[in-house]
Amino acid sequence: MDIQSGTYYWPTTMTSPPTYPQLTEDLNCDVLIIGGGSSGAQCAYYLASQHLDVVVVEKNLIGSGSTATNTALIQYAGEKMFTDLINSFGEDPIVRHIHLCNQAINDIEEAQTICSTPFEFRRKKSLYFASTDDDLIKLKQEADFLLKHDCPIAMWDEATISSHYSFSKAGAILFEQDGEINPFKFTHALLEYAHTKGVSIYENTSVNGMTCQHDQVNVRTRTGHNIHAKKVIIASGYEGTDIRKEPNTSFVSTYTVTTKPLHRFNDWYELSLIWETARPYTYIRTTADNRVIIGGLDDPTNYPEARDSKLINKRNKLIKEFNKLFPHLHVEADFASSAFYGGTRDGLPIIGEYSDYPHCYFLFAFGDNGTVYSMVLAKLLAETIVNGPPSDSNLYHSSRPLITKNRKASSPLS
């Protein structure tokens, strides 16, 4: 899958990232993780202390795939409002989902204290504003639901928004406990930690075939070597659907601009994350070196050539969308990229287990907060491999329409 093109900011933030060898021999292991992006790194992180023989293979260099274009807004709210997800799953499972996503953000924060390489995690407020007056009713319903379950949010009116920002909107939800990271440093930090715990990591090691047997999976590399694994986690992001199609996933094209550094950010409350109810929508964040990342304007284009042909136009439109909010801040594009963006039709990420791939788990953390979803799924998969599947994995299982009923509610922050 041709997943992305353009120029990428995140890899420039590490001048000498850790490197790993190419696989040059046959191996036996307990768990093989296919994919050296953030999802694979999160799986390795959780499995690193479980006294298992774990191997990670990446077909290119670590963090060179979707990780390089990940805008890494660390949020528990997603593209579909929770009040919409309730219609598909019921209130109790969605309350549990909120709890798991919040715990994942806490786990990301904790990982920065454990890993030797910092990855610029910072707690951030995020402003989710009504793009039109018509969106305000749904936004208020969403706020009522979140407040009912003790989520740290506030509903802001037009006067409050305009007193904190250079723009005015009819209303917005202010999320108090979101965050942001550098996803490239994050991926390297987690894998470096896992490597110190004995996880074997191989770059430039492409998989070109798998044979599933009754007690193990035999994986072949393009260089002719074999890896015999008791369990396999396919954490190769969107390319995982090239191995096994998942009907609950869909793809669009998305676009991102990273600006040159700014010297001032007046009228931008606490440099919060900013996103909106419009579809397609735009979202904004800042970086540790004072750049602005502007993303969105998703397009239903499914062909790489058509996607990439729109990059310059989309880059300019993203700059214009930013200027509508902050006309006094002059920004200049420094990096711009186009990429495929995967979501799920029902709005939750997927742990794929399929009868035609025994002993294999597909990690499909698709959605606009995929880093948080990956943290949730990676933790559940580690528990599954060590102790058997926890009950929470049912919510994300590929067969979930049959098994997500009648879960008991709890406070999402308990």
Side-chain angles (χ1 to χ4, degrees):
M1 181 184 288
D2 180 357
I3 60 173
Q4 63 201 46
S5 64
T7 53
Y8 314 119
Y9 162 65
W10 296 120
T12 70
T13 64
M14 290 188 78
T15 54
S16 299
T19 60
Y20 302 94
Q22 183 183 53
L23 181 65
T24 57
E25 61 182 350
D26 292 350
L27 291 178
N28 294 285
C29 63
D30 294 316
V31 184
L32 171 65
I33 300 169
I34 299 174
S38 59
S39 293
Q42 287 159 295
C43 291
Y45 171 77
Y46 280 120
L47 287 167
S49 300
Q50 298 298 330
H51 306 291
L52 295 170
D53 186 359
V54 180
V55 173
V56 177
V57 295
E58 162 57 42
K59 71 174 185 177
N60 295 311
L61 299 178
I62 296 300
S64 61
S66 296
T67 299
T69 60
N70 182 359
T71 49
L73 282 71
I74 305 303
Q75 301 168 301
Y76 61 92
E79 185 172 355
K80 282 194 175 184
M81 290 187 180
F82 295 120
T83 45
D84 290 331
L85 291 174
I86 287 170
N87 294 329
S88 299
F89 298 96
E91 183 168 340
D92 295 350
I94 296 308
V95 170
R96 184 59 184 165
H97 170 64
I98 293 173
H99 165 76
L100 293 170
C101 289
N102 271 293
Q103 184 58 52
I105 297 174
N106 293 338
D107 289 350
I108 292 170
E109 184 174 34
E110 181 183 32
Q112 185 156 255
T113 69
I114 294 173
C115 297
S116 59
T117 301
F119 45 82
E120 299 165 14
F121 175 87
R122 296 183 290 183
R123 286 284 180 176
K124 286 284 184 175
K125 294 178 172 61
S126 64
L127 189 80
Y128 183 37
F129 67 75
S131 304
T132 67
D133 291 346
D134 291 340
D135 293 338
L136 190 57
I137 294 176
K138 287 202 68 175
L139 201 64
K140 287 180 177 178
Q141 291 172 342
E142 185 81 347
D144 289 343
F145 168 75
L146 292 169
L147 289 169
K148 172 185 173 183
H149 293 289
D150 302 320
C151 294
I153 65 103
M155 187 70 199
W156 279 16
D157 60 16
E158 185 173 2
T160 306
I161 296 168
S162 60
S163 69
H164 288 78
Y165 295 90
S166 61
F167 55 86
S168 178
K169 299 293 177 181
I173 297 175
L174 186 78
F175 291 83
E176 298 280 355
Q177 287 292 314
D178 287 339
E180 64 186 24
I181 61 170
N182 178 325
F184 192 74
K185 290 183 178 180
F186 175 66
T187 298
H188 276 285
L190 295 189
L191 285 174
E192 191 175 18
Y193 166 81
H195 193 53
T196 65
K197 294 290 186 178
V199 173
S200 299
I201 303 170
Y202 298 95
E203 294 180 311
N204 298 305
T205 301
S206 181
V207 168
N208 71 347
M210 291 194 301
T211 303
C212 300
Q213 299 180 337
H214 72 281
D215 60 346
Q216 67 176 11
V217 182
N218 296 327
V219 176
R220 300 178 298 280
T221 71
R222 290 195 185 279
T223 54
H225 299 289
N226 293 293
I227 306 172
H228 307 288
K230 295 177 183 176
K231 301 290 183 183
V232 174
I233 299 175
I234 296 92
S236 52
Y238 305 144
E239 293 178 294
T241 59
D242 289 338
I243 299 173
R244 213 296 183 173
K245 300 297 182 185
E246 168 51 60
N248 195 7
T249 60
S250 61
F251 292 89
V252 297
S253 296
T254 194
Y255 301 86
T256 304
V257 173
T258 304
T259 73
K260 294 181 178 180
L262 295 184
H263 300 294
R264 60 188 179 91
F265 291 94
N266 52 308
D267 298 321
W268 187 336
Y269 176 59
E270 296 190 9
L271 296 185
S272 64
L273 315 177
I274 300 173
W275 52 310
E276 62 175 325
T277 57
R279 296 296 181 266
Y281 64 100
T282 56
Y283 53 89
I284 305 169
R285 61 161 288 189
T286 56
T287 67
D289 61 347
N290 296 323
R291 299 171 186 268
V292 179
I293 297 177
I294 314 156
L297 296 182
D298 296 351
D299 192 291
T301 302
N302 287 319
Y303 296 98
E305 298 82 0
R307 175 198 70 201
D308 298 344
S309 70
K310 300 179 181 182
L311 176 56
I312 300 302
N313 179 260
K314 293 284 189 176
R315 178 199 67 188
N316 295 338
K317 284 185 175 180
L318 286 169
I319 294 292
K320 288 181 180 178
E321 290 299 313
F322 177 83
N323 287 335
K324 289 178 184 178
L325 299 176
F326 298 102
H328 60 291
L329 297 180
H330 175 71
V331 294
E332 185 178 350
D334 203 7
F335 302 86
S337 63
S338 61
F340 283 140
Y341 160 75
T344 61
R345 302 183 194 282
D346 62 14
L348 292 185
I350 298 169
I351 294 174
E353 286 189 82
Y354 308 102
S355 59
D356 50 338
Y357 281 89
H359 312 298
C360 295
Y361 305 94
F362 289 77
L363 194 158
F364 293 135
F366 295 179
D368 48 354
N369 46 5
T371 304
V372 174
Y373 290 166
S374 281
M375 208 70 179
V376 172
L377 301 190
K379 189 174 186 179
L380 292 173
L381 286 175
E383 292 180 34
T384 297
I385 288 170
V386 175
N387 297 314
S391 59
D392 286 326
S393 64
N394 291 340
L395 180 57
Y396 306 107
H397 196 277
S398 47
S399 64
R400 59 179 172 242
L402 302 176
I403 53 178
T404 56
K405 306 298 182 184
N406 301 319
R407 293 175 60 88
K408 295 195 175 178
S410 60
S411 169
L413 300 182
S414 61

